[in-house]
Amino acid sequence: MLELNKKKKIQKIIYDIEIKSAYANISVEELYDKINEYLGWEEIDEISEDIRSGMKKSEAYEPYLPYEVISIIENTEDRSLPVYKILEELKNISDAIDKAKSKLAQMIIMPVLTFLVTVLLADYVLHKIATTLLATKLIKSPFYLPFLMKFFIPINLTILGLFIFFVVIKPEHTPIVKNIFKELESVRILNTTRLFYMANIPIESIMLYIEETSKGNIKEAFMSADPNLEGFLDALETLLDPISIAGLESAFNTGRFKEDLFSLAEKKLRDLNLFVESIAATANISALGLIAIPLILLIIPYFQMAFELIHKVSMYITNVGG
């Protein structure tokens, strides 16, 4: 199986070469040969030779590009449309979504790293304070302290595991993250649908693709919907806000569904970066909440022992003074 990272690089090369070939008026075979003078990849040679021998690009690119891209290219070739136009659109969509996902990943990674550092420091402080205060013989250990000292790190790692599970693995089931997940999916699905339409792919195939590449409520909605425009519009209710749905329904009734769908898809793609920036504040609050957990677990026994020590010292001073 082709290495995933290498396959991603080949995808990018294909997109770039197709676009550059069109604008520079140079054959793709020539560009593949030139770039492979530096890379020396067997896969690039195979692509170049296949295209040079007359093979369709949809067949030559099949091992390296996603299913939906191959379907679009195949339909584009059958209609004698320029492949580079579709690939340029796909590249813009892919780059925008990847950039948004990268920013979201950074919003998750930094709090996780900070949480781990906080847990280690809090665990050290907990043991240090507990040992120091208990050594005075003036206070008793809270009944839960031995358990907390022993399992402080495992407890916090379990909490971190739950956080990662619901934020990264199952985002569609988490209230705040669910909205982020839906927005990214709406950008992907609407813009892929736009390109499918441009390649004259039937709505039944579009809905089948969305069903196969989605998950959770979105997958179920497209699976149960009728394979027509009305069913497609009904399934979109799991992705879009009521205003957008109302606009598309109105456009459907007036025969402008395709135009309005294209407009909405392009707008969502343009606004994706703004959407990611808008959730930064929410992400910061969530990060603070995550980091506060080990600190709270540290403070509870510390204050309990500190108040007991203060109380005993006060009683001693009072008795001596009396």
Side-chain angles (χ1 to χ4, degrees):
M1 184 179 290
L2 187 65
E3 184 187 348
L4 183 60
N5 189 40
K6 189 174 184 180
K7 186 174 181 179
K8 277 280 188 185
K9 291 178 180 177
I10 293 176
Q11 286 179 17
K12 187 178 184 305
I13 289 171
I14 291 172
Y15 292 153
D16 290 343
I17 282 183
E18 282 287 346
I19 295 167
K20 190 175 293 184
S21 169
Y23 287 112
N25 199 26
I26 303 173
S27 70
V28 293
E29 302 95 298
E30 185 178 345
L31 289 175
Y32 281 126
D33 291 341
K34 284 184 177 180
I35 196 171
N36 216 32
E37 289 176 5
Y38 300 97
L39 295 176
W41 289 356
E42 183 181 342
E43 294 84 2
I44 299 296
D45 272 338
E46 288 178 359
I47 291 173
S48 179
E49 289 303 319
D50 287 343
I51 294 175
R52 188 174 279 113
S53 67
M55 181 183 288
K56 285 187 173 182
K57 289 179 179 179
S58 56
E59 296 175 7
Y61 293 155
E62 188 173 3
Y64 314 105
L65 299 182
Y67 159 79
E68 71 274 16
V69 179
I70 295 299
S71 297
I72 291 171
I73 293 174
E74 188 174 15
N75 280 268
T76 301
E77 287 178 318
D78 290 343
R79 297 173 62 206
S80 300
L81 296 175
V83 172
Y84 83 91
K85 280 286 187 185
I86 297 294
L87 291 183
E88 187 173 25
E89 289 281 351
L90 281 167
K91 185 176 184 297
N92 292 337
I93 295 168
S94 178
D95 287 349
I97 293 176
D98 287 346
K99 186 178 178 181
K101 286 182 176 179
S102 177
K103 286 186 177 180
L104 291 171
Q106 290 174 18
M107 292 180 190
I108 295 171
I109 291 172
M110 288 308 296
V112 167
L113 293 177
T114 306
F115 177 84
L116 290 172
V117 172
T118 304
V119 168
L120 293 175
L121 291 174
D123 181 66
Y124 171 78
V125 172
L126 176 66
H127 283 76
K128 197 74 173 177
I129 291 176
T131 303
T132 302
L133 290 178
L134 293 176
T136 63
K137 307 293 185 181
L138 294 175
I139 56 176
K140 292 181 181 179
S141 167
F143 71 93
Y144 57 82
L145 184 59
F147 175 84
L148 186 61
M149 292 175 68
K150 183 177 181 181
F151 295 104
F152 186 82
I153 291 180
I155 288 171
N156 281 284
L157 290 182
T158 300
I159 293 170
L160 178 61
L162 290 172
F163 172 82
I164 292 174
F165 178 80
F166 285 109
V167 171
V168 179
I169 301 175
K170 292 287 184 180
E172 67 273 19
H173 299 301
T174 310
I176 297 176
V177 186
K178 182 179 180 180
N179 294 330
I180 301 172
F181 173 76
K182 282 176 63 176
E183 187 64 22
L184 288 176
E185 280 294 273
S186 70
V187 172
R188 179 184 71 86
I189 289 172
L190 289 176
N191 281 279
T192 304
T193 299
R194 176 168 62 89
L195 295 184
F196 273 132
Y197 259 123
M198 290 170 63
N200 202 30
I201 294 175
I203 190 64
E204 297 86 352
S205 298
I206 296 174
M207 293 181 69
L208 181 61
Y209 161 74
I210 296 172
E211 177 190 324
E212 291 175 347
T213 58
S214 301
K215 54 185 177 181
N217 294 336
I218 300 171
K219 183 182 181 71
E220 292 173 7
F222 279 92
M223 189 183 298
S224 59
D226 294 332
N228 51 40
L229 279 178
E230 293 94 330
F232 180 76
L233 188 56
D234 290 339
L236 284 180
E237 291 182 8
T238 59
L239 277 171
L240 303 177
D241 59 89
I243 295 176
S244 296
I245 290 295
L248 289 177
E249 286 177 346
S250 176
F252 178 78
N253 294 327
T254 58
R256 287 187 50 83
F257 180 75
K258 180 179 176 181
E259 291 80 1
D260 282 29
L261 181 69
F262 279 29
S263 176
L264 179 61
E266 291 167 352
K267 182 179 184 302
K268 280 192 168 288
L269 186 63
R270 287 195 308 270
D271 295 346
L272 182 57
N273 190 53
L274 291 175
F275 170 77
V276 173
E277 294 296 335
S278 71
I279 62 173
T282 304
N284 290 335
I285 293 171
S286 301
L288 289 174
L290 181 66
I291 295 167
I293 293 173
L295 297 178
I296 292 171
L297 291 176
L298 168 66
I299 288 171
I300 290 173
Y302 167 69
F303 273 106
Q304 184 174 343
M305 289 188 292
F307 283 136
E308 184 180 348
L309 180 60
I310 292 170
H311 176 70
K312 289 195 173 184
V313 170
S314 299
M315 290 293 293
Y316 174 76
I317 295 172
T318 301
N319 291 334
V320 171

